[in-house]
Amino acid sequence: MKHFLSLKDFSKTEILEIISLAQSIKNDFKNNIPTPLMPQKILAMIFEKNSTRTRVSFESGIYQLGGIGMFLSSNDIQLSRGEPIKDTARVISSMVDMIMIRTFEHSRLEEFASYSSVPVINGLSDSYHPIQLMADYLTMIECGISLEGEKPIATYIGDGNNMAHSWLMLSSKLGFELRVATPKGYEVDSEILSLAQNFAKESGAKIITTHDPKEAIEGCNVVTTDTWISMGQESEKERKIKDFKGFEVNESLMKLAKNNAIFLHCLPAYRGYEVSEEVLEGSQSKVFLEAQNRLHAQKGIMAYLHKERQC
Ligand code: CP
Ligand code: NVA
């Protein structure tokens, strides 16, 4: 049984298959054609961290696929009172058809999945946010930036966090160039980087890490960033704001990218920190298309996992 915990577990063909399913589901949605691919199926959604996009897109998405979503805040279930993950996983998975979890350590998710009898989707962990990257790639395609023709160059500027790691997985699996610029001391995880470098050998991707955002952004097609303070890091805020000086994606930095480069951000965005108001609200910014694509990308993921399970 296939789970969706990280893109590291998926081949290029599988990633593109999910994207193509998402495109077809989106097309039907735009034409008011129903897509009841998961009739009467139940998706449980466990949140150990806050969410706007992930919750709304999964809940709307499963409903539009003919099923129903069940929102479970960890505060309301026994998990936060110490019930073990392995017990929670066995109980919930015996009553629903698919489970999404947003949690802290990636190992919690892996443990949950290993005890679950139904497919588990990573709704964000401290290490990866793979559902977001599926929406990001769908957005890139819709903006005319894809693997067809000249291969794209994407630049991630900011914290070496779960979003940076997920970009490493997407580029190294699909075979396009990724430049990651982080401040010193905030580099991506070295094990995840070497995993990506190994995938890149096979796919032909080029992975560059640097501490210089100007060098990284030069001539690229996609510019992306993320909050400097991820959920769970609130106590590090003051120190990080000092350490990330010069890493704001602003208009002067954007000018160094290609003229028709797009700007992506998973949101929520913190204006005046990782991105300026002008860039976020500017014509190159595709962040609201990207956010809306979460709905369609995740319907693609759910429909794919459901189909795989029936094979
Ligand atoms: N990008 C994202 O996952 O947003 P939420 O935290 O609002 O779900
Ligand atoms: N890196 C951020 C992403 C939020 C969607 C976090 O983990 O909080």
Side-chain angles (χ1 to χ4, degrees), residues 1 13 17 52 65 70 116 127 173 189 209 215-216 219 254 258 262 266 268 271 283 295-296:
M1 187 179 57
T13 311
E17 192 184 328
T52 297
L65 291 176
M70 181 192 292
S116 171
S127 304
K173 286 287 180 162
D189 179 272
T209 55
E215 176 197 15
M254 274 306 281
K258 283 220 161 85
I262 61 167
C266 66
R271 292 159 167 87
S283 60
L295 174 68
H296 308 294

Side-chain angles (χ1 to χ4, degrees), residues 45-267:
M45 305 179 291
I46 304 171
F47 284 90
E48 295 195 290
K49 290 175 175 171
N50 292 35
S51 168
T52 297
R53 281 142 287 270
T54 305
R55 177 180 175 180
V56 176
S57 52
F58 268 116
E59 202 159 329
S60 302
I62 186 69
Y63 184 70
Q64 289 165 7
L65 291 176
I68 189 159
M70 181 192 292
F71 172 71
L72 301 168
S73 157
S74 63
N75 294 332
D76 302 332
I77 58 175
Q78 301 288 5
L79 197 57
S80 65
R81 294 186 68 248
E83 182 165 18
I85 293 251
K86 58 185 181 184
D87 294 358
T88 309
R90 280 176 286 187
V91 171
I92 298 181
S93 69
S94 72
M95 301 179 192
V96 304
D97 303 284
M98 202 169 278
I99 301 171
M100 184 239 83
I101 319 179
R102 168 166 284 198
T103 189
F104 291 88
E105 299 87 11
H106 195 71
S107 54
R108 280 175 79 73
L109 190 68
E110 287 174 332
E111 186 186 356
F112 193 105
S114 72
Y115 281 94
S116 171
S117 53
V118 298
V120 175
I121 300 174
N122 178 2
L124 179 147
S125 69
D126 288 347
S127 304
Y128 295 109
H129 195 7
I131 49 174
Q132 177 70 52
L133 267 288
M134 298 302 280
D136 291 5
Y137 189 59
L138 182 59
T139 310
M140 283 168 61
I141 297 174
E142 291 178 356
C143 294
I145 302 169
S146 70
L147 301 172
E148 316 271 309
E150 205 184 320
K151 284 209 182 155
I153 302 173
T155 298
Y156 175 94
I157 296 174
D159 193 19
N161 64 11
N162 46 10
M163 279 301 296
H165 296 156
S166 303
W167 272 99
L168 281 170
M169 289 303 128
L170 185 78
S171 78
S172 65
K173 286 287 180 162
L174 296 191
F176 64 84
E177 181 170 336
L178 177 69
R179 304 166 184 170
V180 181
T182 59
K184 288 201 176 109
Y186 297 96
E187 293 83 6
V188 293
D189 179 272
S190 56
E191 271 179 37
I192 294 177
L193 178 62
S194 61
L195 193 62
Q197 280 161 340
N198 277 340
F199 293 142
K201 278 184 208 145
E202 206 178 304
S203 68
K206 193 169 165 192
I207 310 263
I208 296 168
T209 55
T210 169
H211 296 301
D212 182 350
K214 288 188 185 145
E215 176 197 15
I217 205 169
E218 187 78 48
C220 73
N221 310 89
V222 180
V223 181
T224 187
T225 183
D226 183 21
T227 181
W228 296 339
I229 324 290
S230 284
M231 289 179 275
Q233 300 182 337
E234 289 73 14
S235 63
E236 297 170 42
K237 186 170 176 183
E238 270 178 43
R239 177 170 50 85
K240 285 187 108 174
I241 288 171
K242 280 193 204 126
D243 293 346
F244 279 69
K245 203 162 182 286
F247 281 78
E248 181 195 52
V249 179
N250 52 30
E251 282 183 310
S252 66
L253 207 52
M254 274 306 281
K255 281 201 182 94
L256 303 175
K258 283 220 161 85
N259 288 341
N260 59 356
I262 61 167
F263 174 75
L264 299 179
H265 188 312
C266 66
L267 303 179

